[in-house]
Amino acid sequence: MEVLNHKLKMIAPKLGVMFTLMAGAVLQGCGGGEGNKRSETVDSDAAAAVYVPPGQHDEYYSFLSGGFNGQVSVYGLPSGRLLKVIPVFTQFAENGYGYNEETKPMLMTSHGFVPWDDLHHPKLSRTDGMADGKYLYVNGNNTPRVAKVDLTTFETVEIMEIPNSAGNHCSPYPTNNNEYILAGTRFSVPLDLDKGGMGDASLSEYKDKFRGSISFIKTNEDDGHMELDFQVLVPGFDYDLANGGKGPSGDWVFFTTYNTEKSATLKELGASQNDRDYLAAINWKLAAKYAAEGKAHEMPANYYHNTMDHNSHIAKSNVIKKVRYLLPEECPGMMYLIPAPKSPHGIDVDPTGEYMVVNGKLAATLPVFSFSKMQQAIENKDFDGEVNGIPVFKYESVLYGEVQEPGLGPLHTEFDGKGNAYSTMFVSSEVVKWNVKDLQVLDRMPVYYSPGHLMIPGGDTREPDGKYLVVMNKITKDRYLPTGPELLHSAQLIDISGDKMRMLLDFPTLAEPHYAQAIQADKVAPNSVKFFKLDENTHPEAVKKESDASVTRQGRTVKINMTSIRSHFTPDNIEGVQVGDTVIFHVTNLEQDWDVPHGFAIMGANNAETLIMPGATQSLRWVPKQAGVFPFYCTDFCSALHQEMQGYVRVSPRGSNVPIKFSTGEKKPVPPAQASVN
Ligand code: K7E
Ligand code: CUA
């Protein structure tokens, strides 16, 4: 979006000329004017349409990406209630994710510990072309990664780094039965096929040395475990967005490309010289077949694959040293290029799988390509040359038609399952409804302001649930009470059940939502875990009864195996710690009841609290730098005596002879002192 905004400003005068004859209303959306009037006349029954009475549940879960906060926010629809924030690529002080010892490995990469990313696209796992409510896959854009959130716990359980990639933007796209999760590079980079990874090259060698990659991540049907099966090394364009086919096109996945000029500098100009860029079509099934049949080469690699163990709740990192790759020029029939309007953004495939909509953000029309015509063109070898051995179709031979005057700056499209498509217009600030068959515009809804993605529950699946549409806007300006220079981004909920769109609700969102997904609540809610079973806790430092709690010293490390239950920690009095020791609190929450986490925090710790779910064990590291008696306490108001849920650690000067000693309560005998220091 950052590039886009600027690019649009640059070409705005040209577009202005191009659209002088267009309906005035279209151009006014952005800055207010006509548009505002319609919004001010929100139907009087709009409130009732989104009202979920206290104590009742929403009809849908929606998962909004957090963009530059590296998280996913979960909202109920239609109410717009915020239900949860799921940390994925970002440390989350609120619950200790990325701060406590168990979750730190989740954020390890070949670049070291990377506690942040830019998360754009949530995609639900699929069965038979429909969201199945098991997992949510998301991409990390900046340090290329794909993560998996388990929807029984709403926790991030797997993160895979993507080698040979830079700017993992067209990612992650599950195929219709989750066979593969596809992830493409945004930035091409010079790949060193011998030594592996990125090579050293001059930017002036861009055209010859830079390449993109599309990663094929295989998933295990039983536990969803990911594995990078192979990559396809593609020409050195920029790859923007992707989407999988369905039905007849189910074996295919489509990627928009820009900078097919292969310009290494000032891309806002350099990447806009050609009138057309490409929509890349890849037959993933054929690619998998080629890879299985020995067409793949192997190169060295170095990437992390981090997984969270379900029972111990401990994440482990696995470093992988090889990757297989295919070259399109060696794999006939695997990849084709469709000329598309210059610098296209979103690519969206309709529910029937026949129509591919290319959202050419700089284009005056919205082209819709036909999958059956593409098949025909392949059969007739109806090509217009090739690029790096990849056949290029003639625009006309694969084009179904163009939506005329759709609006300005089309970015993304979703479908309602009733034959209609809805596209966001970034520049003219509107959602435009059009018919997929006759390509006629049916309705326009001004939105506030400058929409990016939009989402209809199931709108990217075989059978959308065409009742609501959520549009995620980039600019908030005057929509809410001002909060200084930074405003939360705004989402708007639109009723699409009738012929005309109906604006229902504005709600603020966290950081910058790009894409979102939604699913009927009954596909997820019944599987939601209420607490972890203490019996099944395999954490090696778990303490399952208070009498097993202990404090032990090993050299300069003091290990505190502690329990928490309403409303005390065992032990709550600890002595014998010295300045500069590494103290690790392993806290097991003994509760076996829903919604009774205990938090643990200690004064001066250089990390965060950790919030321990019932039945789980979590570990917080603390290195006291001063002598004194330091309180620790439970941070989550868990009972009427929550405020009493506290304790002390005595820290003596380095080299002191205070023995290790710990207790809770008066009755418990103090265990014999452990071996003292050094
Ligand atoms: Cu359009 Cu990253 Cu999907 Cu933002 S992207 S809007
Ligand atoms: Cu435990 Cu508050």
Side-chain angles (χ1 to χ4, degrees), residues 380-629:
N380 302 341
K381 300 206 163 41
D382 187 6
F383 303 129
D384 191 11
E386 52 169 58
V387 174
N388 295 33
I390 304 163
V392 181
F393 295 112
K394 292 195 190 95
Y395 182 74
E396 293 72 22
S397 59
V398 286
L399 183 75
Y400 173 70
E402 293 174 345
V403 181
Q404 299 299 320
E405 300 184 354
L408 299 183
L411 289 187
H412 295 285
T413 297
E414 287 254 300
F415 305 90
D416 66 1
K418 294 176 269 188
N420 304 306
Y422 298 76
S423 304
T424 45
M425 301 294 150
F426 180 79
V427 177
S428 54
S429 251
E430 55 185 341
V431 171
V432 175
K433 174 181 180 181
W434 50 278
N435 183 280
V436 179
K437 274 266 155 62
D438 66 19
L439 307 177
Q440 295 303 307
V441 171
L442 301 173
D443 193 22
R444 297 173 181 279
M445 169 64 78
V447 296
Y448 304 91
Y449 303 95
S450 299
H453 276 275
L454 73 179
M455 179 275 289
I456 292 170
D460 59 339
T461 68
R462 189 165 52 73
E463 249 175 76
D465 219 344
K467 194 164 165 187
Y468 299 111
L469 180 157
V470 176
V471 58
M472 289 154 282
N473 303 308
K474 299 299 180 191
I475 297 169
T476 305
K477 283 204 173 140
D478 51 7
R479 297 298 289 177
Y480 302 134
L481 285 173
T483 52
E486 191 188 2
L487 301 155
L488 289 186
H489 284 227
S490 170
Q492 295 188 289
L493 182 74
I494 298 169
D495 174 359
I496 56 164
S497 59
D499 285 345
K500 294 283 167 195
M501 289 180 268
R502 213 158 61 100
M503 182 59 77
L504 298 178
L505 181 74
D506 278 19
F507 60 97
T509 59
L510 301 181
E512 185 188 0
H514 291 261
Y515 191 47
Q517 291 268 267
I519 184 167
Q520 276 161 354
D522 60 15
K523 294 218 172 102
V524 174
N527 307 323
S528 201
V529 166
K530 295 196 163 65
F531 57 86
F532 300 113
K533 294 196 183 106
L534 201 53
D535 306 350
E536 293 172 7
N537 177 339
T538 56
H539 194 299
E541 304 296 343
V543 172
K544 299 193 181 175
K545 34 186 211 303
E546 294 187 353
S547 54
D548 289 344
S550 66
V551 178
T552 48
R553 172 181 288 282
Q554 283 157 340
R556 300 295 315 276
T557 300
V558 177
K559 201 164 72 130
I560 301 176
N561 295 67
M562 180 180 245
T563 61
S564 62
I565 193 161
R566 283 163 288 181
S567 300
H568 58 272
F569 292 103
T570 303
D572 69 358
N573 278 201
I574 297 157
E575 299 191 18
V577 171
Q578 299 184 7
V579 171
D581 282 343
T582 296
V583 181
I584 312 228
F585 297 93
H586 299 288
V587 188
T588 302
N589 180 346
L590 299 178
E591 306 281 353
Q592 291 289 273
D593 197 357
W594 195 15
D595 198 19
V596 199
H598 294 290
F600 178 86
I602 183 150
M603 182 174 167
N606 294 134
N607 33 34
E609 69 156 338
T610 188
L611 192 67
I612 309 127
M613 294 304 127
T617 304
Q618 283 188 339
S619 309
L620 201 71
R621 175 187 293 259
W622 176 55
V623 182
K625 296 185 178 65
Q626 301 161 20
V629 178

Side-chain angles (χ1 to χ4, degrees), residues 566-567 569 597-599 634-639 642-643 645:
R566 283 163 288 181
S567 300
F569 292 103
H598 294 290
C634 170
T635 51
D636 186 326
F637 209 110
C638 50
S639 70
H642 153 81
Q643 209 63 351
M645 197 167 171

Side-chain angles (χ1 to χ4, degrees), residues 1-2 4 65 118-121 139 141 169-171 173 186 240-241 345-346 411-412 424 426 451-454 472 474 512-515:
M1 280 303 315
E2 60 280 23
L4 169 61
S65 76
D118 183 17
L119 186 162
H120 283 216
H121 303 121
N139 67 325
N141 240 334
H169 190 255
C170 29
S171 165
Y173 291 90
R186 173 168 161 209
D240 200 4
L241 279 157
H345 192 54
L411 289 187
H412 295 285
T424 45
F426 180 79
H453 276 275
L454 73 179
M472 289 154 282
K474 299 299 180 191
E512 185 188 0
H514 291 261
Y515 191 47

Side-chain angles (χ1 to χ4, degrees), residues 62-317:
S62 69
F63 301 91
L64 275 62
S65 76
F68 46 73
N69 73 7
Q71 304 167 339
V72 170
S73 336
V74 187
Y75 290 85
L77 295 180
S79 73
R81 289 173 178 166
L82 175 64
L83 303 177
K84 190 172 177 72
V85 174
I86 306 171
V88 181
F89 299 114
T90 298
Q91 281 177 304
F92 195 47
E94 185 179 313
N95 67 6
Y97 177 84
Y99 289 103
N100 60 40
E101 298 306 301
E102 286 74 13
T103 52
K104 275 184 193 168
M106 291 301 280
L107 302 178
M108 284 305 297
T109 74
S110 63
H111 308 271
F113 184 71
V114 180
W116 172 85
D117 217 307
D118 183 17
L119 186 162
H120 283 216
H121 303 121
K123 278 276 187 178
L124 289 159
S125 57
R126 293 174 176 221
T127 302
D128 193 21
M130 298 296 288
D132 58 19
K134 285 191 193 160
Y135 305 110
L136 184 76
Y137 300 102
V138 296
N139 67 325
N141 240 334
N142 184 55
T143 303
R145 287 176 277 184
V146 167
K148 184 179 84 189
V149 172
D150 182 336
L151 294 182
T152 63
T153 57
F154 285 61
E155 287 176 350
T156 304
V157 293
E158 195 169 355
I159 297 184
M160 178 177 284
E161 192 180 0
I162 309 291
N164 298 337
S165 174
N168 172 47
H169 190 255
C170 29
S171 165
Y173 291 90
T175 55
N176 290 307
N177 284 296
N178 264 7
E179 294 95 335
Y180 282 101
I181 313 296
L182 294 151
T185 23
R186 173 168 161 209
F187 309 106
S188 282
V189 285
L191 295 183
D192 187 328
L193 301 186
D194 300 322
K195 290 198 204 118
M198 233 190 275
D200 177 26
S202 161
L203 269 311
S204 63
E205 300 171 296
Y206 187 101
K207 282 197 167 67
D208 304 321
K209 297 216 167 145
F210 285 51
R211 312 198 68 134
S213 66
I214 290 164
S215 299
F216 284 61
I217 301 167
K218 209 175 194 162
T219 71
N220 179 311
E221 210 185 316
D222 302 327
D223 59 4
H225 187 82
M226 302 192 289
E227 180 199 338
L228 178 52
D229 191 12
F230 63 93
Q231 299 186 308
V232 176
L233 300 189
V234 287
F237 312 150
D238 287 35
Y239 294 78
D240 200 4
L241 279 157
N243 249 312
K246 46 198 88 135
S249 57
D251 294 353
W252 293 78
V253 61
F254 304 93
F255 294 83
T256 49
T257 70
Y258 62 103
N259 193 28
T260 53
E261 296 86 347
K262 299 190 183 174
S263 166
T265 183
L266 206 65
K267 293 210 182 186
E268 63 180 25
L269 295 176
S272 304
Q273 290 157 22
N274 297 349
D275 268 349
R276 298 250 156 95
D277 286 304
Y278 299 114
L279 177 67
I282 295 186
N283 185 324
W284 66 262
K285 237 187 208 160
L286 188 57
K289 190 160 170 267
Y290 278 132
E293 286 174 355
K295 280 266 187 196
H297 307 263
E298 200 172 89
M299 68 189 276
N302 181 34
Y303 65 96
Y304 274 64
H305 180 201
N306 310 320
T307 49
M308 175 62 74
D309 181 80
H310 183 71
N311 294 320
S312 67
H313 281 97
I314 298 175
K316 267 203 291 284
S317 296

